[in-house]
Amino acid sequence: MAKNDVKVLGAWPSPFVMRPRIALNIKSVNYEFLEETFGSKSELLLQSNPVHKKIPVLIHGDKPICESMIIVEYIDKVWTSGPSILPSDPYDRAIQRFWAAYVDEKWFAAMRGLRIAQGEERRGEEGFSGSSY
Ligand SMILES: N[C@@H](CCC(=O)N[C@@H](CS)C(=O)NCC(=O)O)C(=O)O
């Protein structure tokens, strides 16, 4: 598959963006990585994911696919020559979906809360040390 046929819209530190990148690497698919800048959204992102306006987006040919786990499923189904990523057994697949949803809903949310709290704590310390006391 030519590199230009597959593009990932993303930003390197995003764990959601890691999912399709890891999946493409497992399948040995070349792709172009189009880096989005935090705080602004490119025209291509707005066109490709008009509902959520979020990264990652996989663009295969001219078709955009959104939502990291849906993208991983798509990659697994389309590039069958590489090793399979997701379980084919229905029970194993249900367990995989359960933990993916758990990570999205609980773990990422907890990490975000921790980062915000650390930022507030740091700002508080800076404010205290900068005071006249
Ligand atoms: N459920 C989405 C979550 C994607 C997501 O939250 N992406 C973040 C980057 S880590 C984003 O684009 N944030 C920008 C915004 O919320 O406007 C997925 O799994 O792809």
Side-chain angles (χ1 to χ4, degrees), residues 11 13-17 19-20 38-39 41 45 49 52-57 66-71 104 108 112 115:
S14 164
F16 294 107
V17 175
R19 285 175 171 164
F38 274 108
K41 294 173 197 282
L45 173 61
N49 190 356
H52 297 300
K53 304 174 180 66
K54 287 186 177 187
I55 51 169
V57 178
C66 305
E67 287 294 313
S68 58
M69 280 314 300
I70 293 172
I71 298 171
D104 285 0
F108 285 153
R112 198 173 302 125
R115 274 202 315 275

